[in-house]
Amino acid sequence: MPAFSAAELAAFNQARELLVGRGLTVLAAWALLNLLGSGYYLARTDRHRTAYYFHGMNVGWGLINALLACWGILHLQFAPPAGLRLAEAVQAQLHDESLFLFNAGLDAAYVMTGFWLVALAAGPAQPQPGRLRGFGRSLWVQGGFLLGFDAVMWGLLHGQGSSWLSLLP
């Protein structure tokens, strides 16, 4: 089994935390864009139009994404904990990779739900087809962005981690 020095282990851990921090910054920027952009249009759109529901759903997603990004950023540890062990670093790496991969699966479900809502809106006797279309289109946008974001984050983390995880027995 290769021996990693404390400095090497700290560098691996710091690189992972930095990558996750940059990703969370992108998520926070996306959230802010949704809150400002859709918040602006939500206040100026007729409540009976598809766009109202689209922007309303985007504002909701923006709030949730902002909370998740802030929570994640607050939990980053750019300085490795004292006495960091290899097993802990590997566990943190695999946890982060698994989290982004799991979220990508959820994101695909969001996009598919958007397709279902839009198809449902086209059906006969829908009391509020505009709401279904607006919510569905928002799920396309939000789910699509998040699917790309989570897939890229998983790919970057996996590539970064595989460079040193492959050295393990």
Side-chain angles (χ1 to χ4, degrees):
M1 181 166 157
F4 291 98
S5 70
E8 288 173 319
L9 200 51
F12 292 140
N13 189 69
Q14 183 180 18
R16 180 186 53 77
E17 291 281 329
L18 184 60
L19 179 57
V20 170
R22 287 180 177 159
L24 290 172
T25 302
V26 169
L27 183 61
W30 173 251
L32 184 61
L33 178 68
N34 278 280
L35 288 170
L36 294 176
S38 279
Y40 175 83
Y41 287 110
L42 181 65
R44 289 159 178 77
T45 303
D46 179 16
R47 295 181 75 108
H48 302 292
R49 301 191 53 99
T50 298
Y52 177 82
Y53 297 104
F54 172 79
H55 292 299
M57 180 72 97
N58 284 347
V59 167
W61 278 93
L63 288 171
I64 291 168
N65 287 335
L67 290 172
L68 290 172
C70 289
W71 182 83
I73 289 169
L74 290 174
H75 285 85
L76 290 173
Q77 298 176 347
F78 292 107
L84 178 67
R85 295 179 312 180
L86 180 59
E88 294 166 338
V90 169
Q91 182 180 16
Q93 176 72 31
L94 294 176
H95 172 268
D96 287 349
E97 285 185 37
S98 297
L99 184 64
F100 284 106
L101 190 58
F102 177 76
N103 282 340
L106 288 177
D107 303 333
Y110 299 148
V111 172
M112 296 311 297
T113 301
F115 279 106
W116 178 71
L117 290 175
V118 170
L120 194 61
Q126 284 299 326
Q128 293 186 322
R131 179 170 58 178
L132 294 173
R133 273 193 304 276
F135 287 171
R137 290 173 183 168
S138 178
L139 284 170
W140 289 344
V141 171
Q142 299 300 324
F145 170 82
L146 292 172
L147 178 59
F149 169 77
D150 287 327
V152 167
M153 285 300 298
W154 176 83
L156 292 172
L157 279 166
H158 187 71
Q160 185 181 64
S162 65
S163 67
W164 65 278
L165 288 177
S166 64
L167 301 174
L168 299 175

